[in-house]
Coordinates of all heavy atoms in Angstrom, one line a residue:
M836 N 0.8 -1.2 0.0 CA 0.0 0.0 0.0 C 0.9 1.3 0.0 O 0.5 2.2 -0.7 CB -0.9 0.0 1.2 CG -1.9 1.1 1.3 SD -3.1 0.9 0.0 CE -4.2 2.2 0.3
G837 N 2.0 1.2 0.7 CA 2.8 2.4 0.8 C 3.5 2.7 -0.6 O 3.6 3.8 -0.9
E838 N 3.8 1.6 -1.3 CA 4.4 1.8 -2.6 C 3.4 2.5 -3.6 O 3.8 3.3 -4.4 CB 4.9 0.5 -3.2 CG 5.6 0.6 -4.5 CD 6.1 -0.7 -5.0 OE1 6.1 -1.7 -4.3 OE2 6.5 -0.7 -6.2
F839 N 2.2 2.0 -3.5 CA 1.1 2.6 -4.3 C 0.9 4.1 -4.0 O 0.8 4.9 -5.0 CB -0.2 1.9 -4.1 CG -1.4 2.6 -4.8 CD1 -1.5 2.5 -6.1 CD2 -2.3 3.3 -4.0 CE1 -2.6 3.2 -6.8 CE2 -3.4 3.9 -4.6 CZ -3.5 3.8 -6.0
L840 N 0.9 4.5 -2.8 CA 0.8 5.9 -2.4 C 2.0 6.7 -2.8 O 1.8 7.8 -3.3 CB 0.6 6.0 -0.9 CG -0.8 5.5 -0.3 CD1 -0.8 5.5 1.2 CD2 -1.9 6.2 -0.9
R841 N 3.1 6.1 -2.7 CA 4.4 6.8 -3.2 C 4.3 7.0 -4.7 O 4.6 8.1 -5.2 CB 5.6 6.0 -2.8 CG 6.8 6.8 -2.7 CD 8.0 6.0 -2.0 NE 7.9 4.6 -2.0 CZ 7.6 3.8 -0.9 NH1 7.5 4.5 0.3 NH2 7.6 2.5 -0.9
D842 N 3.9 6.0 -5.4 CA 3.8 6.1 -6.9 C 2.7 7.1 -7.3 O 2.9 7.9 -8.2 CB 3.5 4.8 -7.5 CG 4.7 3.8 -7.5 OD1 5.8 4.3 -7.3 OD2 4.4 2.6 -7.7
L843 N 1.6 7.1 -6.6 CA 0.6 8.1 -6.9 C 1.0 9.5 -6.6 O 0.8 10.4 -7.4 CB -0.7 7.8 -6.0 CG -1.9 8.7 -6.2 CD1 -2.4 8.5 -7.6 CD2 -2.9 8.4 -5.2
W844 N 1.8 9.7 -5.5 CA 2.3 11.1 -5.2 C 3.3 11.5 -6.3 O 3.3 12.7 -6.7 CB 2.9 11.1 -3.8 CG 3.5 12.4 -3.5 CD1 4.8 12.7 -3.4 CD2 2.8 13.7 -3.3 NE1 4.9 14.1 -3.1 CE2 3.7 14.7 -3.1 CE3 1.4 14.0 -3.4 CZ2 3.3 16.0 -2.8 CZ3 1.1 15.3 -3.1 CH2 2.0 16.3 -2.9
Q845 N 4.2 10.6 -6.7 CA 5.1 10.9 -7.7 C 4.4 11.3 -9.0 O 4.8 12.2 -9.7 CB 6.1 9.8 -8.0 CG 7.1 9.6 -6.8 CD 8.0 10.8 -6.7 OE1 8.4 11.4 -7.7 NE2 8.4 11.1 -5.5
F846 N 3.4 10.5 -9.4 CA 2.6 10.8 -10.6 C 2.0 12.2 -10.5 O 2.1 13.0 -11.5 CB 1.5 9.8 -10.8 CG 0.5 10.1 -11.8 CD1 0.8 9.9 -13.2 CD2 -0.7 10.7 -11.5 CE1 -0.1 10.3 -14.2 CE2 -1.6 11.0 -12.5 CZ -1.3 10.8 -13.8
M847 N 1.4 12.6 -9.4 CA 0.8 13.9 -9.3 C 1.8 15.0 -9.3 O 1.6 16.1 -9.8 CB -0.1 14.0 -8.0 CG -1.3 13.1 -8.1 SD -2.5 13.4 -6.8 CE -1.6 13.1 -5.3
K848 N 3.0 14.7 -8.7 CA 4.0 15.8 -8.6 C 4.7 16.0 -10.0 O 4.9 17.1 -10.4 CB 5.1 15.3 -7.6 CG 6.0 16.4 -7.2 CD 6.8 16.1 -6.0 CE 7.8 15.1 -6.2 NZ 8.8 14.9 -5.1
V849 N 5.0 14.9 -10.7 CA 5.6 15.1 -12.0 C 4.7 15.7 -13.1 O 5.1 16.5 -13.8 CB 6.2 13.7 -12.5 CG1 6.6 13.7 -13.9 CG2 7.3 13.2 -11.6
R850 N 3.5 15.2 -13.1 CA 2.5 15.7 -14.1 C 1.7 16.9 -13.7 O 0.8 17.3 -14.4 CB 1.6 14.6 -14.5 CG 2.4 13.4 -15.1 CD 1.6 12.4 -15.8 NE 2.3 11.2 -16.1 CZ 2.7 10.9 -17.3 NH1 2.3 11.5 -18.3 NH2 3.3 9.8 -17.4
K851 N 2.0 17.4 -12.5 CA 1.3 18.6 -12.0 C -0.2 18.4 -11.9 O -1.0 19.2 -12.3 CB 1.6 19.8 -12.8 CG 3.0 20.1 -13.1 CD 3.7 20.8 -11.9 CE 5.0 21.4 -12.3 NZ 6.1 20.7 -11.6
K852 N -0.6 17.3 -11.4 CA -2.0 16.9 -11.2 C -2.4 17.0 -9.8 O -3.1 16.1 -9.2 CB -2.3 15.5 -11.7 CG -1.8 15.2 -13.1 CD -2.9 15.5 -14.1 CE -2.5 15.1 -15.5 NZ -3.3 15.6 -16.5
Y853 N -2.2 18.2 -9.2 CA -2.5 18.3 -7.7 C -4.0 18.4 -7.5 O -4.5 18.2 -6.4 CB -1.8 19.6 -7.2 CG -0.3 19.5 -7.2 CD1 0.5 20.3 -8.0 CD2 0.3 18.6 -6.4 CE1 1.8 20.2 -8.0 CE2 1.7 18.5 -6.3 CZ 2.5 19.3 -7.2 OH 3.8 19.2 -7.2
W854 N -4.8 18.7 -8.6 CA -6.2 18.8 -8.4 C -6.8 17.4 -8.1 O -8.0 17.3 -7.7 CB -6.8 19.4 -9.7 CG -6.5 18.7 -10.9 CD1 -5.4 18.9 -11.8 CD2 -7.2 17.6 -11.5 NE1 -5.4 18.0 -12.8 CE2 -6.5 17.2 -12.7 CE3 -8.3 16.9 -11.2 CZ2 -6.9 16.1 -13.5 CZ3 -8.7 15.8 -12.0 CH2 -8.0 15.5 -13.1
L855 N -6.1 16.3 -8.4 CA -6.6 15.0 -8.1 C -6.6 14.7 -6.5 O -7.4 13.9 -6.1 CB -5.7 13.9 -8.7 CG -5.9 13.8 -10.2 CD1 -4.8 12.8 -10.7 CD2 -7.2 13.3 -10.6
L856 N -5.8 15.4 -5.8 CA -5.7 15.1 -4.3 C -7.1 15.3 -3.6 O -7.5 14.5 -2.9 CB -4.6 16.0 -3.7 CG -4.2 15.7 -2.3 CD1 -3.7 14.2 -2.2 CD2 -3.2 16.6 -1.8
P857 N -7.8 16.5 -3.8 CA -9.1 16.6 -3.1 C -10.1 15.5 -3.5 O -10.9 15.0 -2.7 CB -9.6 18.0 -3.5 CG -8.4 18.7 -4.1 CD -7.4 17.7 -4.5
I858 N -10.1 15.1 -4.8 CA -11.0 14.1 -5.2 C -10.7 12.8 -4.6 O -11.6 12.1 -4.1 CB -10.9 13.9 -6.8 CG1 -11.4 15.2 -7.4 CG2 -11.7 12.8 -7.3 CD1 -11.1 15.3 -8.9
I859 N -9.4 12.4 -4.5 CA -9.0 11.2 -3.8 C -9.4 11.2 -2.3 O -9.9 10.2 -1.8 CB -7.5 10.9 -4.1 CG1 -7.3 10.6 -5.5 CG2 -7.0 9.8 -3.2 CD1 -5.8 10.6 -5.9
L860 N -9.1 12.3 -1.7 CA -9.5 12.4 -0.3 C -10.9 12.3 0.0 O -11.4 11.6 1.0 CB -8.9 13.8 0.3 CG -7.4 13.9 0.5 CD1 -7.0 15.3 0.9 CD2 -6.9 12.8 1.4
V861 N -11.8 12.9 -0.8 CA -13.2 12.8 -0.6 C -13.7 11.4 -0.9 O -14.5 10.9 -0.1 CB -14.0 13.8 -1.6 CG1 -15.4 13.5 -1.7 CG2 -13.7 15.2 -1.2
L862 N -13.1 10.7 -1.9 CA -13.5 9.3 -2.1 C -13.1 8.4 -0.9 O -13.9 7.5 -0.5 CB -12.9 8.8 -3.4 CG -13.5 9.3 -4.7 CD1 -12.7 8.9 -5.9 CD2 -14.9 8.9 -4.8
V863 N -11.9 8.7 -0.3 CA -11.5 7.9 0.8 C -12.4 8.1 2.0 O -12.8 7.2 2.7 CB -10.0 8.2 1.1 CG1 -9.6 7.6 2.5 CG2 -9.1 7.6 0.0
L864 N -12.7 9.4 2.2 CA -13.6 9.7 3.4 C -15.0 9.1 3.2 O -15.6 8.6 4.2 CB -13.7 11.2 3.5 CG -12.4 11.9 4.1 CD1 -12.6 13.4 4.1 CD2 -12.1 11.4 5.4
L865 N -15.5 9.2 2.0 CA -16.8 8.6 1.8 C -16.8 7.1 2.0 O -17.7 6.5 2.5 CB -17.4 8.9 0.4 CG -17.9 10.3 0.2 CD1 -18.3 10.6 -1.2 CD2 -19.0 10.6 1.2
G866 N -15.7 6.4 1.5 CA -15.6 5.0 1.7 C -15.5 4.7 3.2 O -16.1 3.7 3.6
G867 N -14.7 5.4 3.9 CA -14.6 5.2 5.4 C -16.0 5.4 6.1 O -16.3 4.7 7.0
L868 N -16.7 6.4 5.6 CA -18.1 6.6 6.2 C -19.0 5.4 5.9 O -19.8 5.0 6.8 CB -18.7 7.9 5.6 CG -20.0 8.3 6.1 CD1 -19.9 8.6 7.6 CD2 -20.6 9.5 5.3
V869 N -18.9 4.8 4.7 CA -19.7 3.7 4.4 C -19.3 2.5 5.3 O -20.2 1.8 5.8 CB -19.6 3.3 2.9 CG1 -20.1 1.9 2.6 CG2 -20.3 4.3 2.1
I870 N -18.1 2.3 5.5 CA -17.6 1.2 6.4 C -18.0 1.4 7.8 O -18.5 0.5 8.5 CB -16.1 1.1 6.3 CG1 -15.7 0.6 4.9 CG2 -15.5 0.1 7.3 CD1 -14.2 0.6 4.6
V871 N -17.9 2.7 8.3 CA -18.3 3.0 9.7 C -19.8 2.8 9.9 O -20.2 2.4 10.9 CB -17.8 4.4 10.1 CG1 -18.4 4.8 11.4 CG2 -16.3 4.4 10.2
S872 N -20.5 3.2 8.9 CA -22.0 3.2 9.0 C -22.6 1.8 9.0 O -23.7 1.6 9.3 CB -22.7 4.1 7.9 OG -22.5 3.4 6.7
Q873 N -21.8 0.8 8.7 CA -22.3 -0.6 8.7 C -22.4 -1.1 10.1 O -23.1 -2.1 10.3 CB -21.3 -1.5 7.9 CG -21.2 -1.2 6.4 CD -22.6 -1.3 5.7 OE1 -23.2 -2.3 6.0 NE2 -22.9 -0.4 4.9
Q874 N -21.8 -0.5 11.0 CA -21.9 -0.9 12.4 C -23.2 -0.3 13.0 O -23.4 0.9 12.8 CB -20.7 -0.4 13.2 CG -19.4 -1.0 12.7 CD -18.2 -0.4 13.4 OE1 -18.3 0.5 14.2 NE2 -17.0 -0.9 13.1
S875 N -23.9 -1.0 13.7 CA -25.3 -0.6 14.1 C -25.2 0.5 15.1 O -26.2 1.4 15.1 CB -26.0 -1.8 14.7 OG -25.3 -2.3 15.9
A876 N -24.2 0.6 16.0 CA -24.2 1.7 17.0 C -24.0 3.1 16.3 O -24.6 4.1 16.8 CB -23.0 1.5 17.9
L877 N -23.3 3.2 15.2 CA -23.0 4.4 14.6 C -24.0 4.7 13.5 O -24.2 5.8 13.0 CB -21.6 4.5 14.0 CG -20.5 4.5 15.0 CD1 -19.2 4.4 14.4 CD2 -20.6 5.7 15.9
A878 N -24.8 3.7 13.0 CA -25.7 3.9 11.9 C -26.8 4.9 12.3 O -27.1 5.7 11.4 CB -26.3 2.5 11.6
S879 N -27.3 4.9 13.5 CA -28.4 5.8 13.8 C -27.8 7.2 13.8 O -28.5 8.2 13.4 CB -29.0 5.5 15.2 OG -28.0 5.5 16.2
L880 N -26.6 7.4 14.2 CA -26.0 8.8 14.2 C -25.8 9.3 12.8 O -26.1 10.4 12.5 CB -24.7 8.8 14.9 CG -23.9 10.1 14.9 CD1 -24.6 11.2 15.7 CD2 -22.5 9.9 15.4
I881 N -25.3 8.4 11.9 CA -25.1 8.8 10.5 C -26.4 9.1 9.8 O -26.5 10.0 9.1 CB -24.4 7.6 9.8 CG1 -23.0 7.3 10.4 CG2 -24.2 7.9 8.3 CD1 -22.0 8.3 10.2
Y882 N -27.5 8.3 10.1 CA -28.8 8.5 9.5 C -29.3 9.9 9.9 O -30.0 10.6 9.1 CB -29.7 7.4 9.8 CG -29.3 6.1 9.2 CD1 -29.5 4.9 9.8 CD2 -28.8 6.1 7.9 CE1 -29.1 3.7 9.3 CE2 -28.4 4.9 7.3 CZ -28.6 3.7 8.0 OH -28.2 2.5 7.4
T883 N -29.1 10.3 11.1 CA -29.7 11.6 11.6 C -28.9 12.7 10.9 O -29.5 13.8 10.7 CB -29.6 11.7 13.1 OG1 -28.3 11.6 13.5 CG2 -30.5 10.7 13.7
V884 N -27.6 12.5 10.6 CA -26.8 13.6 10.0 C -27.3 13.8 8.6 O -27.4 14.9 8.1 CB -25.3 13.3 10.1 CG1 -24.5 14.3 9.3 CG2 -24.9 13.3 11.6
F885 N -27.5 12.7 7.9 CA -27.9 12.8 6.5 C -29.4 12.7 6.3 O -29.9 12.7 5.3 CB -27.1 11.8 5.6 CG -25.7 12.1 5.6 CD1 -24.8 11.3 6.3 CD2 -25.2 13.1 4.8 CE1 -23.4 11.5 6.2 CE2 -23.8 13.4 4.8 CZ -23.0 12.6 5.5

């Protein structure tokens, strides 16, 4: 996983694709939210927020 992140950062740095960083971060956060919301204790909190 570390090698992938290192390669991704090198790609963005060399090709000046810094605009990809916010998109990747949002996708990771949404994926984490989906994983966390699968647990029943946090599901009710997530549902009230959205």
Side-chain angles (χ1 to χ4, degrees):
M836 184 68 174
E838 184 179 347
F839 171 73
L840 293 175
R841 203 170 19 254
D842 287 342
L843 182 64
W844 178 248
Q845 288 297 324
F846 170 78
M847 289 191 303
K848 194 164 72 170
V849 168
R850 301 194 190 246
K851 307 281 193 248
K852 304 271 186 197
Y853 295 113
W854 56 270
L855 286 173
L856 190 61
I858 296 170
I859 293 170
L860 287 176
V861 166
L862 288 174
V863 167
L864 288 174
L865 284 176
L868 183 64
V869 166
I870 291 171
V871 167
S872 68
Q873 296 298 315
Q874 298 173 356
S875 62
L877 295 174
S879 61
L880 175 69
I881 299 291
Y882 293 142
T883 58
V884 171
F885 292 106

